[in-house]
Amino acid sequence: GAVVSQHPSRVICKSGTSVKIECRSLDFQATTMFWYRQFPKKSLMLMATSNEGSKATYEQGVEKDKFLINHASLTLSTLTVTSAHPEDSSFYICSASILMGDIGYTFGSGTRLTVV
Amino acid sequence: AQSVSQHNHHVILSEAASLELGCNYSYGGTVNLFWYVQYPGQHLQLLLKYFSGDPLVKGIKGFEAEFIKSKFSFNLRKPSVQWSDTAEYLCAVNARNTDKLIFGTGTRLQVFP
């Protein structure tokens, strides 16, 4: 149980285009989801908290106009990288918290974005 | 703001050696604590977690961690590592007044046969 499905797993796009990454909770409702970015050989950096039905909360230093987050339903959050540039190339991971019952967090399998 | 520190960035061990990876956090309130492992080319896997109760937590693959509240630490240990333990190890902390999970910088473990 508590599976998060993330798509696509890999995407290559041209500089200047936008890319949408989807994160779905398959067997539970996720009122809150999180988006992380992992730089090469580095840890996971929390980008933003996605809240169903309201605006996302961005961490300091994350451009909200570049990384658009939409959480329109209890099972779907999307991250859109707008006007992508090569420096946006990275590994993006979504997560949902299931803290009731001391379960913890479940993670998507990640999306490798390459901007050429 | 809460932060998580992992002081060992890269650890190299021979098989059968003992392992201890440090994790310290900065947050004065109640926390939930996690250790994750990321094998090359794979995604995150939970090793163990602490929510409450016995501060010595046992996880999968022979790993354990001890929560020392006075030291704000949650160090990971394994008495005898194997080559297959080669991976990235990430400590993470959730402050209970939020849902956020904050990761440390990670420790890359290399185990040589």
Side-chain angles (χ1 to χ4, degrees):
Chain A
V3 174
V4 168
S5 175
Q6 184 173 345
H7 294 281
S9 57
R10 282 182 187 274
V11 59
I12 301 172
C13 71
K14 289 185 177 180
S15 190
T17 61
S18 296
V19 172
K20 182 185 283 188
I21 303 170
E22 291 190 348
C23 185
R24 292 181 185 274
S25 58
L26 296 185
D27 49 4
F28 67 102
Q29 293 181 330
T31 54
T32 303
M33 287 190 177
F34 305 92
W35 287 95
Y36 292 87
R37 181 174 178 176
Q38 187 172 32
F39 294 92
K41 298 183 179 180
K42 299 270 186 182
S43 185
L44 290 161
M45 181 194 79
L46 180 63
M47 298 174 65
T49 302
S50 168
N51 304 297
E52 187 268 333
S54 64
K55 289 184 180 180
T57 306
Y58 290 81
E59 296 298 304
Q60 192 173 10
V62 178
E63 298 177 62
K64 55 184 173 185
D65 293 332
K66 167 163 272 298
F67 298 102
L68 297 179
I69 290 172
N70 184 278
H71 196 153
S73 78
L74 286 169
T75 58
L76 176 64
S77 175
T78 60
L79 168 68
T80 301
V81 183
T82 63
S83 187
H85 292 286
E87 58 265 30
D88 299 324
S89 298
S90 195
F91 194 62
Y92 295 87
I93 303 175
C94 66
S95 172
S97 62
I98 310 171
L99 296 176
M100 288 183 66
D102 294 354
I103 294 174
Y105 295 80
T106 183
F107 291 86
S109 53
T111 298
R112 171 73 61 194
L113 170 64
T114 304
V115 185
V116 298
Chain B
Q2 63 184 95
S3 66
V4 184
S5 299
Q6 290 181 245
H7 305 294
N8 316 103
H9 297 296
H10 190 189
V11 174
I12 301 173
L13 293 173
S14 299
E15 272 193 321
S18 64
L19 170 73
E20 180 160 0
L21 301 182
C23 174
N24 289 87
Y25 63 93
S26 65
Y27 180 70
T30 307
V31 293
N32 298 318
L33 300 157
F34 304 81
W35 274 98
Y36 289 89
V37 61
Q38 190 171 27
Y39 297 102
Q42 298 186 27
H43 53 96
L44 285 175
Q45 181 178 357
L46 179 67
L47 272 179
L48 46 77
K49 60 187 177 184
Y50 171 82
F51 277 73
S52 63
D54 188 345
L56 183 60
V57 180
K58 294 197 182 298
I60 61 171
K61 303 178 190 269
F63 286 91
E64 65 177 32
E66 184 175 12
F67 171 44
I68 304 179
K69 189 175 180 180
S70 60
K71 295 185 178 180
F72 299 90
S73 70
F74 190 54
N75 292 355
L76 180 72
R77 301 193 290 247
K78 185 169 183 177
S80 176
V81 293
Q82 299 173 320
W83 175 78
S84 57
D85 292 324
T86 295
E88 184 85 12
Y89 291 83
L90 295 139
C91 178
V93 177
N94 156 242
R96 289 207 195 155
N97 64 344
T98 78
D99 277 358
K100 289 187 203 179
L101 184 66
I102 304 299
F103 284 86
T105 48
T107 297
R108 183 176 171 222
L109 172 65
Q110 278 186 293
V111 180
F112 289 96

